[in-house]
């Protein structure tokens, strides 16, 4: 059991070191990273397409990286915004890691990029434990997923700097209990801002972009209580302007894919293999992959 824990912590420690390097790389370029986490089907790709289009229309240099186990569908959709977009195929890995992201950005990220949106793999478990060098972490949930998502996935929502509700235009039709959802959010992450959005109607999209831009300009993001409870994993993050912004981040030590020392070792090797050989494609300047 000690070996299992040690291997898992070694994976997270390596990721933390890579995230620190990536944060410095992005900070030197004046780029602010926004990490988007949600379940599959939450509507985050549709929302991100609108965000990118409005950023481009407003003169803010923005780019996006989108991660999936397979297909380039999301990159094709996001490229319609006119922003540079890059797809990462994780070859079965259930989350992005900082080292994967940094290697895919080097030599590609356009000079002057102010906002880098990272659409993580659709999953509320694995991605929650991995720092990607982001300034802002956003957890999204749609009205169709049920009001108990925040309490069922407390790490994902508990470490978020912002919570976004999507597909609000159909909330009444599906019987979404808004107050119950907000109670769950307050339970796991007291004080975190919550924005309500609809990609279909455009509700909340401008407010979301404005929130991101304020953080990019140096406004201090919400500090989750959960992060304070895991002092071993606290990080001091620099924002995109190079000003010291207090951004605390924790890893859930209970998160693990393994069931024994041998499986853990195999899983660590699999991480290395997928990290080195994850396939990628890089549409630039709004061109589809």
């Amino acid at each position: 059991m000690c070996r299992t824990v040690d291997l898992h912590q070694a994976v997270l420690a390596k990721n933390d070191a890579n995230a620190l390097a990536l944060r410095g790389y992005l900070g030197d370029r004046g780029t602010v990273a926004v990490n988007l986490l949600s379940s599959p089907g939450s509507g985050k790709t549709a929302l991100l397409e609108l965000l990118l289009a409005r950023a481009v229309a407003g003169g803010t240099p923005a780019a996006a990286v989108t991660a999936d186990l397979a297909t380039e569908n999301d990159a094709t959709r996001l490229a319609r915004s006119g922003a540079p977009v890059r797809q990462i195929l994780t070859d079965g890995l259930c989350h992005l890691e900082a080292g994967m992201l940094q290697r895919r950005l080097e030599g590609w990220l356009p000079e002057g990029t102010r906002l880098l949106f990272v659409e993580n793999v659709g999953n509320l478990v694995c991605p929650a434990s991995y720092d990607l060098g982001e300034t802002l972490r956003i957890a999204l949930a749609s009205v169709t997923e049920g009001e108990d998502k925040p309490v069922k996935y407390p790490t994902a929502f508990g470490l978020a700097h912002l919570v976004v509700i999507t597909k609000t235009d159909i909330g009444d039709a599906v019987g979404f209990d808004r107050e119950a959802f907000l109670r769950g959010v307050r339970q796991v992450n007291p004080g975190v801002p919550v924005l309500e959005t609809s990609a279909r109607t455009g509700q909340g999209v401008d407010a979301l972009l404005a929130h991101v831009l304020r953080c990019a300009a140096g406004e201090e993001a919400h500090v989750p209580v959960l992060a304070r409870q895991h002092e071993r994993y606290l990080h001091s993050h620099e924002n995109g302007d190079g000003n010291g912004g207090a951004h605390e981040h924790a890893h859930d030590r209970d998160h693990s894919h393994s069931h024994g020392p041998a499986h853990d070792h195999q899983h660590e090797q699999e991480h290395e293999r997928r990290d080195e050989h994850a396939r990628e494609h890089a549409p630039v300047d709004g061109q589809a992959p």
Side-chain angles (χ1 to χ4, degrees), residues 265-279:
H265 182 63
Q266 180 182 0
H267 178 66
E268 185 180 26
Q269 290 180 325
E270 186 72 2
H271 264 68
E272 295 291 341
R273 184 184 69 81
R274 287 168 173 166
D275 195 13
E276 292 298 327
H277 298 288
R279 297 182 302 277

Side-chain angles (χ1 to χ4, degrees), residues 152-232:
K152 289 178 71 173
Y153 299 94
T155 303
F157 286 92
L159 289 174
H161 304 108
L162 176 68
V163 172
V164 171
I165 305 173
T166 63
K167 305 184 182 182
T168 55
D169 56 297
I170 60 171
D172 290 340
V174 299
F176 178 64
D177 189 337
R178 176 179 178 274
E179 291 306 316
F181 181 88
L182 294 177
R183 283 196 300 272
V185 171
R186 289 193 293 268
Q187 179 179 330
V188 301
N189 197 346
V192 67
V194 179
L195 291 178
E196 301 181 40
T197 66
S198 166
R200 179 175 294 176
T201 67
Q203 175 196 355
V205 177
D206 287 335
L208 177 54
L209 180 58
H211 185 99
V212 172
L213 288 172
R214 287 196 301 273
C215 290
E219 180 177 302
E220 185 174 339
H222 165 75
V223 179
V225 172
L226 181 60
R228 299 182 184 278
Q229 296 172 354
H230 293 257
E231 293 183 4
R232 181 177 178 183

Side-chain angles (χ1 to χ4, degrees), residues 16 34 52-53 59 65 69 85 95 110 129 138 147 152 154 159 196 223 233 273 276 283:
D16 285 344
V34 182
L52 289 168
V65 171
L69 277 68
V85 177
H95 59 275
S129 293
I138 302 177
E147 300 80 10
K152 289 178 71 173
L159 289 174
E196 301 181 40
V223 179
Y233 302 110
R273 184 184 69 81
E276 292 298 327

Side-chain angles (χ1 to χ4, degrees), residues 1-9 260-262 264-265 268:
M1 185 64 186
C2 291
R3 177 177 167 78
T4 299
V5 172
D6 287 346
L7 282 171
H8 179 58
Q9 294 307 322
D264 246 12
H265 182 63
E268 185 180 26

